[in-house]
Amino acid sequence: MIDQIRGLEDLKSLASAKQAEITVAFDLAQRREQAAAGVPAEEQGAGVAAQIALARRESPAKGARLLGLAKALAGMPHTFAAFRSGSLSEWRATLVVRETICLSAGDRAAVDEELAAHAGTLEGALDGAGDKAIVAAVRAAAYRRDPASVARRASRAVGERCVSLRPAPDTMAYLTALLPVAEGVAAYAALAQDADAARSAGDDRSRGQVMADTLVERLTGTPGGVSGVEIQLVMTDRTLFQADAEPARLPGYGTIPAATARELALTGRTGTAGAARNDAGKGDAGSRELDLFLRCLYTAPGTGELVAMDSKARLFPPGLKRFLQIRDDTCRTPYCDAPIRHHDHVMSWQNGGRTTAGNGQGLCEACNQTKETPRWAAKAVPGPRHTVETTTPTGHTYRSTAPPLPGTAPGTPPAGRRVLARTPPGRVAAPSAPPSAAVLVLGRVIPPCAQGHPARIAAPSVPPPLTQLRPG
């Protein structure tokens, strides 16, 4: 069985190496076709990475990295041979390329030759080496070959400093900062020093908890981390008012438990640690009143599809943008879960596409630009929820369906298959089942109220029939 496991691992590397070879060939073929079609040289290759990503069921960003990896490996024969034989996995081949990408093609090939020369083959040179050892060996060889390029790369990296947020299990989140090494070490040391001082003074929180809480308080500028930043929650009316167990959605994070959503909506915080600190007298953040208001968005019975909104304008108005943001949650390109940056037409305006919810979709900036390249096409098609079918220049089609809203029953029938009963003349047809209201709760913290009144949310009235609803 161990031999089988090892053999399958080698097979995975061989298959990945073959994918890389085909990727390079596909890139060349697409560039030839684009050149024959009159595409300017600087624009040739547009959309290639996106097609690779769709074929491999990866995000467009990952597709671009895979294309770059394949093209770089084409000039590193020893690394490619080790990849093909199974001595290097796709990830470790990526590490080798990542540490040499700043070099010229000739210097990259020289590093490839230098690493293999120690043991005759790259497999022997890196036999038994872990990720860190591989990175160290390749980085040292790259620096010896062209120290100026490595230094320039480090200087450029400073311009890539950023902060990102990604979900973690159990309604937690990773807040990550990419910083120059001096600033990063200094920030961590300051948090650690404050944590050690707090624990020495009798704080019963762990060192990590104190560091995390201090970070939040310093960023938001208030004890307990309460700030005036607006947050949004998407949940059903039953979850908010009737203690239903249907999970909610926190845009920018994902699905959260119903109890956590109610706590966040009513108190502006989650967990018991913050409340315990406030009860102990550290600040009055717990008594801050939240300025909350509700927006009811009704879904069609049986399908869970949001009731449509329309506009005669070419650009999507704010209300319709908000509608698309809630419905789509993240970029609608298959396998891409980047944040929505653009709200655009599925069928373009110049081709007769209307500014409606059905012909609108939320996309990240990169995917929206890819959609505008030649021979890409998209159209809305019937589906269980809003569904977009994208056709690439090679004629392959991919479908993307909007994620289910909170309260949508599993296995809802496709839209358009629901049969409406005939209604006598002069009467309005009522839906066969009451609509499910997805409640968007927008919370904004305001300064502490002098009277100290608790946060209040007015219960919504009974939802009107679908025929009486108006956009907004």
Side-chain angles (χ1 to χ4, degrees), residues 420-435:
L420 297 178
R422 177 171 296 181
T423 306
R427 296 187 59 184
V428 177
S432 57

Side-chain angles (χ1 to χ4, degrees), residues 30-271:
Q30 288 284 287
R31 289 176 180 272
R32 292 194 196 100
E33 289 185 13
Q34 293 173 356
V39 177
E42 63 274 11
E43 297 180 10
Q44 293 173 14
V48 173
Q51 295 183 72
I52 293 169
L54 288 169
R56 295 192 59 169
R57 300 188 181 96
E58 298 283 3
S59 69
K62 181 67 177 294
R65 291 196 295 270
L66 291 169
L67 174 59
L69 171 66
K71 295 170 72 172
L73 285 173
M76 304 180 73
H78 296 289
T79 303
F80 211 165
F83 183 21
R84 192 181 293 107
S85 69
S87 296
L88 283 181
S89 64
E90 186 174 57
W91 169 243
R92 291 187 171 179
T94 302
L95 294 178
V96 174
V97 170
R98 188 186 69 184
E99 297 301 324
T100 58
I101 199 65
C102 62
L103 304 179
S104 65
D107 285 337
R108 195 180 306 124
V111 169
D112 180 65
E113 186 71 32
E114 177 183 336
L115 291 173
H118 291 297
T121 63
L122 193 66
E123 294 96 316
L126 300 179
D127 187 29
D131 290 355
K132 291 183 178 179
I134 291 174
V135 168
V138 177
R139 185 176 294 170
Y143 188 78
R144 286 192 295 268
R145 175 59 53 178
D146 189 355
S149 293
V150 177
R152 285 195 300 270
R153 175 183 178 182
S155 298
R156 288 195 301 268
V158 175
E160 298 175 357
R161 59 191 184 276
C162 62
V163 177
S164 60
L165 181 73
R166 56 192 176 95
D170 304 321
T171 65
M172 301 291 282
Y174 295 107
L175 177 65
T176 305
L178 179 63
L179 302 171
V181 61
E183 284 83 346
V185 171
Y188 185 87
L191 292 172
Q193 183 178 358
D194 286 357
D196 292 338
R199 286 178 56 79
S200 298
D203 196 317
D204 58 356
R205 289 174 292 170
S206 68
R207 189 169 186 263
Q209 288 174 337
V210 177
M211 292 175 68
D213 295 341
T214 303
L215 174 66
V216 174
E217 291 175 5
R218 288 184 176 177
L219 289 178
T220 59
T222 53
V226 179
S227 71
V229 178
E230 182 179 289
I231 61 172
Q232 302 184 57
L233 279 173
V234 184
M235 67 179 81
T236 64
D237 51 355
R238 301 182 301 277
T239 295
L240 183 59
F241 297 112
Q242 301 176 18
D244 191 79
E246 179 68 33
R249 182 199 295 168
L250 181 62
Y253 177 86
T255 301
I256 63 175
T260 303
R262 283 191 294 272
E263 185 179 7
L264 185 59
L266 296 173
T267 68
R269 65 176 66 249
T270 59

Side-chain angles (χ1 to χ4, degrees), residues 259-400:
T260 303
R262 283 191 294 272
E263 185 179 7
L264 185 59
L266 296 173
T267 68
R269 65 176 66 249
T270 59
T272 59
R277 292 199 304 277
N278 288 327
D279 291 342
K282 289 192 63 177
D284 61 350
S287 62
R288 288 174 177 260
E289 183 174 337
L290 295 180
D291 180 18
L292 299 177
F293 59 92
L294 304 181
R295 180 178 292 112
C296 294
L297 302 172
Y298 296 98
T299 57
T303 67
E305 176 80 314
L306 277 174
V307 176
M309 295 178 66
D310 199 345
S311 173
K312 296 182 179 179
R314 176 172 183 174
L315 300 178
F316 286 86
L320 193 47
K321 285 183 179 180
R322 184 168 56 239
F323 184 97
L324 297 178
Q325 191 86 28
I326 297 167
R327 184 195 69 191
D328 294 346
D329 194 32
T330 60
C331 177
R332 283 295 299 277
T333 298
Y335 316 116
C336 181
D337 53 5
I340 293 174
R341 294 287 181 260
H342 292 178
H343 305 82
D344 201 12
H345 300 79
V346 178
M347 178 182 290
S348 63
W349 173 271
Q350 56 265 32
N351 291 332
R354 300 175 59 202
T355 306
T356 64
N359 192 48
Q361 61 178 339
L363 297 170
C364 68
E365 183 176 355
C367 289
N368 194 30
Q369 293 174 352
T370 299
K371 185 175 71 73
E372 299 301 324
T373 55
R375 298 172 58 197
W376 284 74
K379 64 179 181 180
V381 296
R385 292 175 296 279
H386 184 262
T387 303
V388 177
E389 183 178 270
T390 300
T391 303
T392 66
T394 59
H396 293 83
T397 59
Y398 303 87
R399 288 196 174 190
S400 168

